[in-house]
Amino acid sequence: MDDEIITRAYLETLSFSDLKKLADEYGVDVPEDLDRRFLLSELVEIAEETRQDKTAGMIISFENSINQSTNLPDGYNETNITCILRNPVWAFVFWDISDTDMNMLNALGDYSLSLRVCILVSPEELVPAESFEIDIPNGVNEQYVLIPSGKNYIRIELVYTSGTNREVLAFSQVVSIPKSSNNVENYQPGINNDFSPVMKLSGIEKILSEQYKNYRHSFS
Protein backbone atom coordinates (compact mmCIF):
# COMPACT_ATOMS: atom_id res chain seq x y z
CA MET A 1 0.00 0.00 0.00
CA ASP A 2 3.07 2.23 -0.29
CA ASP A 3 1.79 4.06 -3.37
CA GLU A 4 -1.92 3.80 -2.69
CA ILE A 5 -3.87 6.97 -1.98
CA ILE A 6 -6.65 6.30 0.52
CA THR A 7 -9.57 8.70 0.70
CA ARG A 8 -11.99 9.08 3.56
CA ALA A 9 -14.77 8.23 1.11
CA TYR A 10 -12.98 4.95 0.39
CA LEU A 11 -12.68 4.15 4.09
CA GLU A 12 -16.44 4.68 4.45
CA THR A 13 -17.04 1.85 1.96
CA LEU A 14 -14.96 -0.71 3.89
CA SER A 15 -16.46 -3.28 6.22
CA PHE A 16 -15.55 -3.22 9.90
CA SER A 17 -13.32 -6.28 9.45
CA ASP A 18 -11.46 -4.57 6.57
CA LEU A 19 -10.99 -1.44 8.70
CA LYS A 20 -9.56 -3.63 11.47
CA LYS A 21 -7.10 -5.21 9.04
CA LEU A 22 -6.00 -1.77 7.90
CA ALA A 23 -5.63 -0.67 11.53
CA ASP A 24 -3.51 -3.76 12.25
CA GLU A 25 -1.16 -2.73 9.43
CA TYR A 26 -0.42 0.50 11.27
CA GLY A 27 -0.22 -1.00 14.75
CA VAL A 28 -3.60 0.18 16.04
CA ASP A 29 -5.12 -2.14 18.65
CA VAL A 30 -8.86 -2.47 17.92
CA PRO A 31 -11.17 -3.86 20.66
CA GLU A 32 -14.05 -6.02 19.42
CA ASP A 33 -16.69 -3.58 20.72
CA LEU A 34 -15.08 -0.44 19.26
CA ASP A 35 -17.56 1.79 17.44
CA ARG A 36 -17.07 1.78 13.63
CA ARG A 37 -17.16 5.57 13.39
CA PHE A 38 -14.50 5.98 16.05
CA LEU A 39 -12.25 3.47 14.25
CA LEU A 40 -12.77 5.29 10.95
CA SER A 41 -11.87 8.61 12.59
CA GLU A 42 -8.72 7.07 14.06
CA LEU A 43 -7.64 5.81 10.63
CA VAL A 44 -8.30 9.21 9.07
CA GLU A 45 -6.20 10.87 11.78
CA ILE A 46 -3.35 8.40 11.28
CA ALA A 47 -3.52 8.85 7.52
CA GLU A 48 -3.44 12.64 7.81
CA GLU A 49 -0.39 12.46 10.08
CA THR A 50 1.47 10.09 7.78
CA ARG A 51 0.54 12.20 4.76
CA GLN A 52 2.71 14.94 6.21
CA ASP A 53 5.62 12.53 6.63
CA LYS A 54 7.30 11.90 3.28
CA THR A 55 8.71 8.63 4.53
CA ALA A 56 5.25 7.24 5.38
CA GLY A 57 3.35 5.15 2.86
CA MET A 58 -0.29 5.84 3.69
CA ILE A 59 -1.71 9.13 2.37
CA ILE A 60 -5.15 10.57 3.01
CA SER A 61 -6.58 12.51 0.08
CA PHE A 62 -9.44 14.89 0.74
CA GLU A 63 -12.12 15.58 -1.85
CA ASN A 64 -10.58 18.79 -3.16
CA SER A 65 -7.28 17.00 -3.90
CA ILE A 66 -8.71 14.65 -6.54
CA ASN A 67 -10.65 15.31 -9.71
CA GLN A 68 -13.96 13.99 -8.52
CA SER A 69 -16.76 15.00 -6.21
CA THR A 70 -17.76 12.71 -3.36
CA ASN A 71 -20.61 13.42 -0.96
CA LEU A 72 -19.94 11.94 2.45
CA PRO A 73 -22.82 10.99 4.74
CA ASP A 74 -23.34 13.22 7.77
CA GLY A 75 -24.38 10.17 9.80
CA TYR A 76 -26.03 6.79 9.63
CA ASN A 77 -29.57 8.07 10.18
CA GLU A 78 -29.78 6.39 13.57
CA THR A 79 -30.24 7.96 16.97
CA ASN A 80 -27.41 6.72 19.17
CA ILE A 81 -24.78 7.92 21.60
CA THR A 82 -21.32 6.53 22.35
CA CYS A 83 -19.05 7.13 25.32
CA ILE A 84 -15.32 6.39 25.04
CA LEU A 85 -13.00 6.67 28.02
CA ARG A 86 -9.98 8.81 27.16
CA ASN A 87 -8.47 8.38 30.62
CA PRO A 88 -9.84 7.96 34.18
CA VAL A 89 -10.65 11.69 34.26
CA TRP A 90 -12.10 12.46 30.81
CA ALA A 91 -14.66 10.71 28.59
CA PHE A 92 -15.34 11.59 24.95
CA VAL A 93 -19.03 11.43 24.02
CA PHE A 94 -20.47 11.70 20.52
CA TRP A 95 -23.96 11.11 19.13
CA ASP A 96 -26.19 11.11 16.05
CA ILE A 97 -29.88 11.95 15.78
CA SER A 98 -31.96 10.29 13.06
CA ASP A 99 -33.98 12.30 10.54
CA THR A 100 -37.19 11.06 12.15
CA ASP A 101 -36.20 12.21 15.62
CA MET A 102 -34.80 15.49 14.30
CA ASN A 103 -38.06 16.22 12.49
CA MET A 104 -39.90 15.50 15.74
CA LEU A 105 -37.65 17.92 17.64
CA ASN A 106 -38.00 20.62 15.00
CA ALA A 107 -41.76 20.23 15.14
CA LEU A 108 -41.63 20.97 18.88
CA GLY A 109 -40.05 24.32 18.10
CA ASP A 110 -38.71 25.12 21.55
CA TYR A 111 -36.50 22.29 22.75
CA SER A 112 -33.09 21.83 24.37
CA LEU A 113 -30.63 18.96 24.49
CA SER A 114 -28.48 17.79 27.37
CA LEU A 115 -26.21 14.96 28.38
CA ARG A 116 -27.22 13.18 31.57
CA VAL A 117 -24.20 11.57 33.22
CA CYS A 118 -25.42 8.62 35.28
CA ILE A 119 -23.21 7.29 38.09
CA LEU A 120 -23.84 3.56 38.59
CA VAL A 121 -22.93 1.28 41.47
CA SER A 122 -22.60 -1.75 39.15
CA PRO A 123 -22.82 -2.39 35.39
CA GLU A 124 -26.20 -4.12 35.84
CA GLU A 125 -27.86 -1.19 37.62
CA LEU A 126 -30.57 0.57 35.61
CA VAL A 127 -31.28 3.36 38.10
CA PRO A 128 -28.28 5.65 38.73
CA ALA A 129 -27.07 6.26 42.27
CA GLU A 130 -26.58 9.91 41.26
CA SER A 131 -26.49 11.97 38.09
CA PHE A 132 -25.78 15.42 36.69
CA GLU A 133 -26.55 17.10 33.37
CA ILE A 134 -24.54 19.06 30.84
CA ASP A 135 -26.42 21.44 28.52
CA ILE A 136 -25.36 21.18 24.88
CA PRO A 137 -26.12 23.62 22.04
CA ASN A 138 -28.32 22.44 19.18
CA GLY A 139 -26.24 21.29 16.22
CA VAL A 140 -23.33 20.01 18.34
CA ASN A 141 -22.70 16.26 18.28
CA GLU A 142 -19.66 15.71 20.52
CA GLN A 143 -18.56 16.68 24.01
CA TYR A 144 -15.77 15.95 26.48
CA VAL A 145 -17.11 15.05 29.94
CA LEU A 146 -15.13 15.48 33.16
CA ILE A 147 -15.71 12.38 35.30
CA PRO A 148 -16.10 12.88 39.07
CA SER A 149 -13.34 11.18 41.06
CA GLY A 150 -13.98 7.95 42.93
CA LYS A 151 -16.69 6.63 40.56
CA ASN A 152 -16.78 3.08 39.22
CA TYR A 153 -19.26 3.08 36.33
CA ILE A 154 -21.00 5.69 34.17
CA ARG A 155 -23.64 5.75 31.46
CA ILE A 156 -24.41 8.79 29.30
CA GLU A 157 -27.95 9.62 28.18
CA LEU A 158 -28.94 12.04 25.41
CA VAL A 159 -32.01 13.89 26.70
CA TYR A 160 -34.32 16.45 25.10
CA THR A 161 -36.57 18.85 27.01
CA SER A 162 -39.54 20.73 25.62
CA GLY A 163 -41.82 22.52 28.07
CA THR A 164 -42.68 19.98 30.76
CA ASN A 165 -41.78 17.04 28.52
CA ARG A 166 -38.45 15.27 29.04
CA GLU A 167 -37.41 12.17 27.12
CA VAL A 168 -34.26 10.10 26.66
CA LEU A 169 -33.39 9.88 22.97
CA ALA A 170 -30.54 7.39 23.42
CA PHE A 171 -28.16 6.04 26.04
CA SER A 172 -24.60 4.78 25.82
CA GLN A 173 -23.07 1.55 26.94
CA VAL A 174 -21.91 1.33 30.56
CA VAL A 175 -18.28 2.43 30.89
CA SER A 176 -16.02 1.13 33.66
CA ILE A 177 -13.68 3.69 35.25
CA PRO A 178 -10.20 2.33 36.13
CA LYS A 179 -9.18 2.85 39.74
CA SER A 180 -5.94 4.46 40.81
CA SER A 181 -4.13 4.89 44.09
CA ASN A 182 -5.84 7.08 46.70
CA ASN A 183 -2.58 9.01 46.97
CA VAL A 184 -2.88 9.90 43.28
CA GLU A 185 -6.61 10.71 43.36
CA ASN A 186 -6.48 12.83 46.51
CA TYR A 187 -3.13 14.54 46.01
CA GLN A 188 -2.96 18.24 46.88
CA PRO A 189 0.21 20.37 47.09
CA GLY A 190 1.19 21.40 50.60
CA ILE A 191 -0.52 18.44 52.25
CA ASN A 192 1.61 15.64 53.66
CA ASN A 193 1.19 12.59 51.42
CA ASP A 194 2.01 9.12 52.65
CA PHE A 195 4.55 8.13 49.99
CA SER A 196 7.22 5.57 50.76
CA PRO A 197 10.89 6.68 50.48
CA VAL A 198 11.25 4.64 47.28
CA MET A 199 8.18 6.33 45.75
CA LYS A 200 9.62 9.75 46.67
CA LEU A 201 12.87 8.89 44.92
CA SER A 202 10.88 8.18 41.73
CA GLY A 203 9.82 11.83 41.55
CA ILE A 204 6.11 11.04 41.96
CA GLU A 205 5.48 14.15 44.09
CA LYS A 206 6.79 16.50 41.40
CA ILE A 207 4.80 14.69 38.68
CA LEU A 208 1.56 14.90 40.66
CA SER A 209 2.19 18.53 41.56
CA GLU A 210 2.57 19.47 37.88
CA GLN A 211 -0.52 17.43 36.99
CA TYR A 212 -2.53 19.19 39.71
CA LYS A 213 -1.42 22.71 38.75
CA ASN A 214 -1.77 22.30 34.99
CA TYR A 215 -4.90 20.14 34.74
CA ARG A 216 -6.82 19.06 37.79
CA HIS A 217 -6.68 22.34 39.72
CA SER A 218 -8.32 24.12 36.79
CA PHE A 219 -11.49 22.09 37.31
CA SER A 220 -11.59 21.97 41.11
Side-chain angles (χ1 to χ4, degrees), residues 10 18-19 23 33 41 58 80 90 102 133 148 151 181 189-190 201 216:
Y10 170 70
D18 287 336
L19 290 174
D33 59 348
S41 297
M58 181 178 174
N80 54 54
W90 287 100
M102 185 55 67
E133 294 198 11
K151 307 306 178 184
S181 164
L201 285 174
R216 187 171 177 178

Side-chain angles (χ1 to χ4, degrees), residues 38 82-94 115 117 132 134 142-151 154 156 173 175-178 180 185 211-212 214-220:
F38 183 75
T82 302
C83 177
I84 298 175
L85 196 66
R86 180 178 181 183
N87 53 48
V89 177
W90 287 100
F92 179 64
V93 183
F94 58 96
L115 296 179
V117 182
F132 62 92
I134 302 172
E142 60 184 41
Q143 174 74 41
Y144 276 103
V145 174
L146 184 65
I147 303 170
S149 63
K151 307 306 178 184
I154 62 169
I156 311 294
Q173 77 282 20
V175 176
S176 176
I177 312 299
S180 61
E185 286 191 353
Q211 169 73 15
Y212 184 90
N214 295 327
Y215 299 104
R216 187 171 177 178
H217 182 64
S218 302
F219 303 100
S220 299

Side-chain angles (χ1 to χ4, degrees), residues 80-130:
N80 54 54
I81 184 169
T82 302
C83 177
I84 298 175
L85 196 66
R86 180 178 181 183
N87 53 48
V89 177
W90 287 100
F92 179 64
V93 183
F94 58 96
W95 58 93
D96 276 331
I97 301 177
S98 69
D99 292 343
T100 300
D101 285 339
M102 185 55 67
N103 290 336
M104 178 270 295
L105 293 174
N106 289 333
L108 294 173
D110 183 21
Y111 74 91
S112 61
L113 295 174
S114 62
L115 296 179
R116 184 179 184 230
V117 182
C118 301
I119 311 299
L120 307 176
V121 176
S122 71
E124 296 77 21
E125 288 288 335
L126 296 178
V127 180
E130 55 182 294

